C-alpha cells in the first residue's frame, strides 16, 4: 500500500481497532483457550497438565453425551424439515393477498418473539397429562384418550420438536414471504399463460428461485439446533431420566454442577466443529456467488 493511500485509511483503522480487539480477545481468544483446556485434566479450576485427547475419549464413552448427540440429530432433522415446510406453506397462504394479511402475519410471527423459556413452560403445561390436552379430551368424554409423550422416554424428544417448530415457523414464513414478494410479476404471468399447475410452479420454479432465502432460514434454524438448551430445561430438564438431554445442557451441567471444566470444554469444542461444519459450506457458496456477481 502506497504511503499516501495508507495515511488516508488511518482513521478507518483507528475506528475499527476496538471491535477488532474484542473479536481477537473475546471470541477467538476464548475459543482457543477452551480448546486448550479441553486437552488438560482441569476439574474445578483450569489446569496446565496436558492429557492429549483423553477428555474426548471420556466424552464419547459417556452414555449421556451419546444420548445428547442422538437427540440433537433427531431434533435437528425434524425441526428444520417441519419448520421449513410449515413456514413455506404459511408464506404461500399469505402471499395470496388474503384479507387480514397483516393480522395473520402478526399471529404467525408472534411465537418467535417469545423466549424459549416461556415457550417451553407453556408447552410443558399443554402437554402435561394431569392438566393439559389429555385431561381436556378426557373431560370431554373420552376417558381412554392418551397423550403423554412428555413423560414417555421414547417420545419426549418429539414434544420438544413440536414446541420448537411452533416457535420458529413464523420466522421461516417471514423469510420465505419476502422471497415470494421479490419474484417478478412477469414470471407469474408466464406461468398462468402456459397453464402450469400451481403446485408444479411452486415445486419446480418458485422454490429453486428462493434457494438463497431458504438457505438463510436453514442456517438460522441450524444454529438454533446447536444452541438448544433453554427449551429443554423449561420443558423437561433433560428428562425423563436422560431421554431429552442435549449437548448444550450436558456442557452447562458439567461446567457448573459437576465441576469438570476439561470435559465441558471438550463438549464445547465438538459443538464448535458442528457449527463450523454447518456454516462453512454456506459461507463458501455465498463467497462464490458474490464472485460470480462481481464478474457479471
Amino acid at each position: 500500500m502506497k504511503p499516501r493511500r495508507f495515511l488516508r485509511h488511518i482513521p478507518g483503522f483507528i475506528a475499527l481497532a476496538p471491535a477488532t480487539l474484542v473479536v481477537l480477545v473475546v471470541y477467538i481468544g476464548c475459543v482457543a483457550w477452551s480448546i486448550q483446556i479441553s486437552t488438560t485434566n482441569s476439574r474445578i479450576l483450569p489446569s496446565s497438565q496436558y492429557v492429549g485427547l483423553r477428555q474426548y475419549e471420556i466424552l464419547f464413552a459417556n452414555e449421556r453425551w451419546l444420548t445428547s448427540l442422538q437427540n440433537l440429530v433427531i431434533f435437528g432433522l425434524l425441526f428444520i424439515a417441519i419448520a421449513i415446510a410449515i413456514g413455506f406453506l404459511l408464506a404461500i397462504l399469505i402471499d395470496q393477498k388474503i384479507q387480514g394479511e397483516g393480522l395473520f402475519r402478526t399471529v404467525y410471527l408472534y411465537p418467535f418473539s417469545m423466549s424459549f423459556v416461556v415457550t417451553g413452560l407453556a408447552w410443558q403445561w399443554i402437554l402435561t397429562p394431569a392438566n393439559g390436552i389429555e385431561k381436556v379430551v378426557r373431560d370431554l368424554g373420552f376417558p381412554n384418550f392418551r397423550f403423554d409423550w412428555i413423560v414417555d422416554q421414547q417420545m419426549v424428544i418429539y414434544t420438544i420438536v413440536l414446541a420448537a417448530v411452533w416457535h420458529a415457523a413464523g420466522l421461516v414464513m417471514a423469510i420465505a414471504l419476502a422471497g415470494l414478494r421479490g419474484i417478478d410479476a412477469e414470471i407469474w404471468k408466464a406461468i398462468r399463460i402456459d397453464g402450469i399447475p400451481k403446485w408444479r410452479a411452486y415445486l419446480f420454479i418458485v422454490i429453486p428461485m428462493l434457494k438463497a432465502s431458504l438457505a438463510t432460514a436453514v442456517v438460522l434454524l441450524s444454529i438454533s439446533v446447536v444452541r438448544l438448551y433453554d427449551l429443554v430445561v423449561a420443558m423437561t430438564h433433560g428428562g425423563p431420566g436422560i431421554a431429552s438431554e442435549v449437548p448444550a445442557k450436558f456442557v452447562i451441567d458439567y461446567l457448573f454442577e459437576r465441576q469438570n471444566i476439561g470435559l465441558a470444554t471438550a463438549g464445547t469444542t465438538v459443538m464448535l466443529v458442528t457449527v463450523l461444519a454447518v456454516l462453512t459450506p454456506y459461507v463458501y457458496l455465498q463467497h462464490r456467488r458474490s464472485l460470480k456477481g462481481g464478474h457479471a
Side-chain angles (χ1 to χ4, degrees):
M1 186 179 293
K2 296 179 180 179
R4 183 176 297 176
R5 189 177 176 185
F6 176 76
L7 291 174
R8 195 166 61 242
H9 286 85
I10 284 181
F13 293 147
I14 295 174
L16 290 175
T20 305
L21 191 64
V22 168
V23 170
L24 290 176
V25 175
V26 176
Y27 292 100
I28 298 177
C30 287
V31 168
W33 182 81
S34 296
I35 295 173
Q36 187 269 328
I37 288 295
S38 72
T39 60
T40 68
N41 68 343
S42 302
R43 296 289 298 187
I44 299 177
L45 297 173
S47 165
S48 59
Q49 185 176 349
Y50 181 72
V51 295
L53 299 178
R54 178 61 182 156
Q55 296 290 6
Y56 294 92
E57 294 174 3
I58 296 173
L59 185 68
F60 282 96
N62 189 307
E63 183 186 353
R64 187 178 170 188
W65 174 255
L66 296 179
T67 302
S68 301
L69 291 181
Q70 180 182 335
N71 285 338
L72 193 68
V73 172
I74 294 173
F75 173 84
L77 293 176
L78 292 177
F79 167 60
I80 293 174
I82 298 173
I84 291 288
I86 293 178
F88 187 65
L89 290 175
L90 291 175
I92 292 175
L93 174 67
I94 291 181
D95 193 43
Q96 306 307 309
K97 307 291 191 302
I98 59 175
Q99 285 188 345
E101 175 187 323
L103 174 64
F104 283 110
R105 200 165 50 209
T106 303
V107 169
Y108 294 145
L109 196 55
Y110 178 72
F112 189 70
S113 67
M114 300 170 66
S115 71
F116 272 127
V117 174
V118 175
T119 301
L121 291 175
W123 277 95
Q124 182 200 50
W125 184 86
I126 292 171
L127 297 173
T128 299
N131 53 17
I133 294 175
E134 182 175 299
K135 183 177 185 303
V136 172
V137 175
R138 287 187 176 188
D139 290 345
L140 291 174
F142 301 92
N144 296 323
F145 178 80
R146 289 189 61 186
F147 189 59
D148 57 356
W149 288 8
I150 199 167
V151 294
D152 185 332
Q153 290 192 343
Q154 301 299 322
M155 303 300 293
V156 64
I157 191 64
Y158 302 109
T159 65
I160 295 173
V161 173
L162 182 64
V165 168
W166 178 82
H167 183 270
L171 171 66
V172 178
M173 176 214 69
I175 295 173
L177 183 60
L180 288 172
R181 291 287 163 83
I183 294 177
D184 194 332
E186 292 298 318
I187 293 177
W188 290 113
K189 186 178 178 181
I191 290 172
R192 283 194 296 272
I193 292 174
D194 291 341
I196 300 174
K198 274 199 169 183
W199 68 269
R200 290 189 62 186
Y202 278 110
L203 197 60
F204 297 108
I205 299 175
V206 174
I207 288 180
M209 295 178 68
L210 296 182
K211 59 183 180 183
S213 300
L214 296 178
T216 300
V218 169
V219 170
L220 293 175
L221 296 180
S222 300
I223 294 172
S224 297
V225 171
V226 177
R227 294 168 51 195
L228 179 65
Y229 173 75
D230 316 41
L231 187 62
V232 172
V233 171
M235 280 187 71
T236 65
H237 205 71
I242 59 170
S244 59
E245 284 284 341
V246 290
K249 185 175 181 302
F250 177 95
V251 169
I252 295 295
D253 287 351
Y254 272 83
L255 192 61
F256 294 107
E257 295 180 7
R258 302 195 177 211
Q259 299 173 340
N260 190 335
I261 298 176
L263 195 61
T265 51
T268 61
T269 304
V270 173
M271 292 172 68
L272 172 66
V273 172
T274 306
V275 172
L276 291 178
V278 171
L279 285 182
T280 302
Y282 174 75
V283 172
Y284 176 72
L285 289 175
Q286 290 294 322
H287 178 65
R288 287 199 61 181
R289 188 174 294 117
S290 65
L291 287 179
K292 288 182 180 178
H295 291 307

